[in-house]
Amino acid sequence: MNRFVRPVSGTLLRRLALASIIANVGIVVTGGAVRLTASGLGCPTWPRCTDASYVTTSEMGGHGVIEFGNRMLTFAVGLIALATLLAVLAHRPRRPGLLPLAVAVFFGIPAQAVVGGITVLTNLNPWVVGLHFLASMAVIAAAYALWRRVVDPDGPVVGVVPEPLRTLARITTGVSVAVLVIGTWVTGSGPHAGDHGAARNGLDPESISQVHADGVFLLIGLSVALIFAFRAVGAQRATRAAIILVAVELSQGLIGFVQYFTHVPALLVGAHMLGSCLVLLATLAVQWSTRERRPVAPTPQPASTDAATPVPATA
């Protein structure tokens, strides 16, 4: 390595990877605030804020400040991802798989921003808005995978539960992703469009909310089944992860039901968006808990025979 590049410690790398997760969750919450305050077209074009300016103007009022502020936060999230990528490059010894994940997070952020720009250019088309949210979820998943690769030891991946239970965990993850996708359809049919003139997706809010609720019930049922299955095989770490997942799901479900029966107040919708990120992270934690990396024991070196060689006596 270049003598002018100082190696990065594992502690710093872990902190940066964790900061990347937190920052990407934060940008989802602030993006929700843009929509919930009807500021989605506070900057009516992209990448400029107006046709004549890259920044908000006083004539655009509070909506412009909120939308432009969220755009600026994207740069902050990108800087954290860049710092993490540079730390991965400088860390020694470099672990296999770290670099592709760091690159995916770094380039995922501008890709997500481009989708956000398309939402503005399409006047907050609800399907594109949903895609914008799901793109953020994909970046969060990549950031989580990067963090786990940093904190886990080097070594081969070994399953800690029987393969049928690993399959059940994968099915649960798939259902969790499906619930997130359907949740964007519910949002696209509801009242918080991001702008008073934005279109809705045309789905019946009551019907699609019921489909979403059915998916949540299925997800909770699968998660509870994982608790009992993991406990039956003595997988304590996996059991704890499944218990946390069920707790997060129940909290998220409670917020969802309350917001539905209270006519979708903005504050609860924002909390529900944060909950969606936490459900994804808890689901991924369960998936990771079904396997572990076991360090490879160092190969014993043969003892040197030099010191044991007798020296002939001289007469």
Side-chain angles (χ1 to χ4, degrees), residues 161-162 164-166 168-169 172 218-250 282 285-287 289-290:
V161 299
L165 297 189
R166 297 184 68 185
L168 180 59
T172 304
L218 175 59
L219 177 59
I220 293 175
L222 289 171
S223 302
V224 170
L226 284 174
I227 294 176
F228 288 102
F230 290 155
R231 182 172 293 172
V233 297
Q236 296 182 359
R237 187 166 67 98
T239 301
R240 287 193 299 270
I243 290 173
I244 292 172
L245 173 59
V246 171
V248 173
E249 290 168 349
L250 290 175
V286 169
Q287 188 67 57
S289 71
T290 64

Side-chain angles (χ1 to χ4, degrees), residues 16-311:
L16 285 172
L18 181 59
S20 186
I21 296 174
I22 296 172
N24 279 285
V25 171
I27 200 73
V28 170
V29 176
T30 59
V34 171
R35 180 168 59 82
L36 296 171
T37 57
S39 302
L41 294 179
C43 287
T45 188
W46 187 87
R48 296 174 182 263
C49 192
T50 69
D51 290 334
S53 174
Y54 280 100
V55 300
T56 185
T57 63
S58 58
E59 292 80 5
M60 300 170 69
H63 291 316
V65 172
I66 293 172
E67 164 63 8
F68 181 73
N70 188 63
R71 293 187 183 188
M72 291 299 98
L73 283 175
T74 302
F75 287 99
V77 177
L79 287 175
I80 294 174
L82 176 60
T84 306
L85 175 59
L86 294 177
V88 168
L89 290 171
H91 182 63
R92 292 295 183 275
R94 186 183 301 165
R95 294 182 174 183
L98 273 184
L99 184 58
L101 288 170
V103 169
V105 173
F106 176 68
F107 284 103
I109 292 169
Q112 182 259 17
V114 169
V115 177
I118 295 173
T119 67
V120 173
L121 298 177
T122 57
N123 294 318
L124 305 183
N125 180 290
W127 300 105
V128 183
V129 172
L131 182 61
H132 185 43
F133 173 78
L134 295 175
S136 295
M137 294 295 102
V139 176
I140 290 173
Y144 180 82
L146 173 62
W147 176 73
R148 287 305 299 255
R149 186 65 192 93
V150 170
V151 300
D152 289 346
D154 283 326
V157 177
V158 179
V160 296
V161 299
E163 182 58 30
L165 297 189
R166 297 184 68 185
T167 300
L168 180 59
R170 286 191 286 267
I171 292 172
T172 304
T173 301
V175 173
S176 181
V177 171
V179 168
L180 288 175
V181 172
I182 298 172
T184 66
W185 302 349
V186 176
T187 299
S189 69
H192 297 292
D195 184 81
H196 297 299
R200 303 285 72 206
N201 59 21
L203 298 175
D204 178 62
E206 185 174 347
S207 299
I208 195 62
S209 295
Q210 183 61 57
V211 173
H212 183 57
D214 293 341
V216 170
F217 285 130
L218 175 59
L219 177 59
I220 293 175
L222 289 171
S223 302
V224 170
L226 284 174
I227 294 176
F228 288 102
F230 290 155
R231 182 172 293 172
V233 297
Q236 296 182 359
R237 187 166 67 98
T239 301
R240 287 193 299 270
I243 290 173
I244 292 172
L245 173 59
V246 171
V248 173
E249 290 168 349
L250 290 175
S251 301
Q252 174 75 336
L254 177 61
I255 295 172
F257 275 110
V258 172
Q259 74 172 9
Y260 179 79
F261 289 109
T262 55
H263 307 291
V264 203
L267 184 61
L268 286 182
V269 175
H272 201 56
M273 292 186 69
L274 173 61
S276 297
C277 299
L278 298 180
V279 168
L280 174 64
L281 291 171
T283 304
L284 294 174
V286 169
Q287 188 67 57
W288 252 264
S289 71
T290 64
R291 37 159 288 192
E292 66 181 16
R293 289 183 179 272
R294 294 181 178 171
V296 178
T299 303
Q301 299 295 324
S304 174
T305 59
D306 294 339
T309 303
V311 178

